């Protein structure tokens, strides 16, 4: 669908763009919330913390596979219909996770949810920019990415808090409910679109030509490695905070919120300086992540709020990594965990 003509005045974004942002909030909350409910989930399903952590890998695999495959498969389908289908599948995946009687069922539900999540991101971004004038496209994308930022600041900590007080399944039900709200909004507010024809018709072969560029592969590999390093720690943040650093589980939502705030500030700073100092931002962000990931287990005396100032909004490093330091620096000084070790994780 051709973009609306640009207007010299600052155009107001249509409600449909904010609905897409709300949907991304639900997707982002589901993507990252396991880091806050890993322990109660592992206890309930009778699996170890490393096994529970594989649920994070399941979602990641679904995202990696789903993004290119679904982008190609839905290239010529009506975008509104595609969004509705993907959001419905995602919501059903959350409900299946909440009802999962076993670890294997939950694992499968995470993969299915991730496939739908990846497809929604690809199609939703295209729809968001198509609904606004050219001079408002950046703001439309900011709303979508903002949904992910708010998920890290509010959604993930809220999921952890809900999981602690009402059981981990309640967090999945909450995300399923948000998915229903987003689905209703997409049905009501996202306009119908026709499949592009002529020169605007998407062609898979043309889309794939970008991967002939070695610089694209370099950027993808650097992003993947940096993200893997950060989220290897983040995924197990809850048991590390409680079973290693000796904090009470009630602290987990707070530290997750600090992570989200750090990610938001880092993204804001990176966006401001990347245009003028692209490689400085890249090297600075990766160096900062490396420094904190090294510092976290070796002896920072107090929490370290970390800004992830780089153009990798999907791989931010938030605050709170230094909370691990007291136990690592001095086992005698570290307080005993107020919860028992979970499935082999020792103090």
């Amino acid at each position: 669908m051709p973009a609306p003509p640009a207007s010299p005045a600052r155009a107001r974004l249509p409600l449909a763009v904010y609905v897409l942002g709300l949907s991304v909030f639900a997707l982002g909350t589901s993507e990252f919330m396991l880091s806050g409910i890993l322990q109660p989930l592992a206890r309930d399903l009778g699996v170890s913390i490393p096994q529970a952590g594989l649920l994070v890998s399941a979602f990641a695999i679904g995202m990696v596979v789903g993004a290119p495959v679904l982008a190609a498969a839905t290239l010529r389908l009506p975008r509104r219909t595609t969004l509705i289908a993907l959001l419905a599948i995602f919501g059903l995946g959350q409900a299946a996770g909440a009802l999962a009687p076993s670890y294997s069922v939950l694992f499968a539900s995470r993969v299915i949810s991730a496939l739908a999540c990846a497809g929604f991101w690809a199609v939703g971004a295209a729809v968001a920019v198509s609904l606004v004038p050219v001079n408002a496209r950046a703001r439309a994308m900011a709303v979508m990415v903002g949904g992910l930022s708010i998920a890290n600041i509010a959604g993930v900590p809220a999921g952890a808090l809900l999981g602690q007080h009402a059981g981990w399944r309640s967090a999945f039900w909450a995300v399923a409910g948000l998915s229903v709200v987003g689905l209703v909004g997409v049905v009501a507010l996202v306009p119908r679109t026709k499949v592009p024809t002529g020169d605007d018709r998407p062609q898979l072969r043309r889309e794939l030509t970008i991967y002939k560029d070695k610089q694209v592969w370099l950027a993808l590999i650097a992003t993947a490695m940096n993200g893997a390093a950060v989220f290897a720690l983040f995924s197990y943040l809850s048991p590390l905070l409680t079973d290693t650093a000796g904090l009470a589980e009630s602290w987990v939502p707070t530290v997750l919120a600090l992570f989200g705030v750090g990610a938001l500030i880092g993204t804001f700073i990176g966006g401001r300086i990347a245009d003028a100092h692209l490689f400085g931002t890249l090297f600075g962000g990766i160096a900062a992540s490396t420094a904190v990931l090294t510092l976290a287990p070796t002896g920072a005396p107090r929490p370290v709020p970390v800004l992830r100032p780089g153009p990798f909004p999907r791989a931010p490093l938030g605050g709170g990594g230094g909370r691990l330091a007291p136990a690592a620096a001095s086992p005698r000084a570290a307080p005993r965990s107020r919860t028992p070790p979970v499935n082999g994780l020792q103090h």
Side-chain angles (χ1 to χ4, degrees), residues 25 53 95 115 125 130 140 171 180 204 238 244 251 259-261 263 267 269-270 277 315-316 325 327:
F25 172 77
L115 289 170
S130 72
V180 172
L204 181 59
S238 178
T244 301
W251 272 98
F259 179 97
V261 171
T267 301
I269 294 175
H277 307 284

Side-chain angles (χ1 to χ4, degrees), residues 132-289:
V132 298
V134 174
N135 62 348
R137 287 179 175 177
R139 284 195 291 136
M141 282 304 301
V143 169
M144 282 201 66
V145 176
L148 184 64
S149 298
I150 296 173
N152 277 311
I153 295 172
V156 175
L161 192 64
L162 193 60
Q164 289 176 3
H165 295 281
W168 65 268
R169 297 177 189 272
S170 63
F172 279 82
W173 281 121
V175 175
L178 286 172
S179 304
V180 172
V181 175
L183 181 60
V184 172
V186 170
V187 171
L189 297 172
V190 174
R192 297 180 183 275
T193 60
K194 295 181 180 179
V195 179
T197 58
D199 293 338
D200 292 333
R201 184 180 183 182
Q203 297 181 15
L204 181 59
R205 183 177 299 177
R206 183 174 60 191
E207 299 290 334
L208 291 177
T209 56
I210 190 175
Y211 293 106
K212 294 180 179 179
D213 189 341
K214 294 180 180 179
Q215 295 297 319
V216 171
W217 283 103
L218 179 61
L220 288 173
I221 292 171
T223 302
M225 292 181 68
N226 189 66
V230 171
F231 284 103
L233 172 66
F234 178 74
S235 298
Y236 295 95
L237 191 57
S238 178
L240 286 171
L241 288 170
T242 58
D243 295 337
T244 301
L247 293 177
E249 283 192 21
S250 58
W251 272 98
V252 172
T254 301
V255 177
L256 290 172
L258 288 175
F259 179 97
V261 171
L264 181 62
I265 297 174
T267 301
F268 176 79
I269 294 175
R272 284 298 185 96
I273 65 177
D275 287 338
H277 307 284
L278 177 59
F279 286 101
T281 304
L282 285 169
F283 294 142
I286 294 175
S289 296

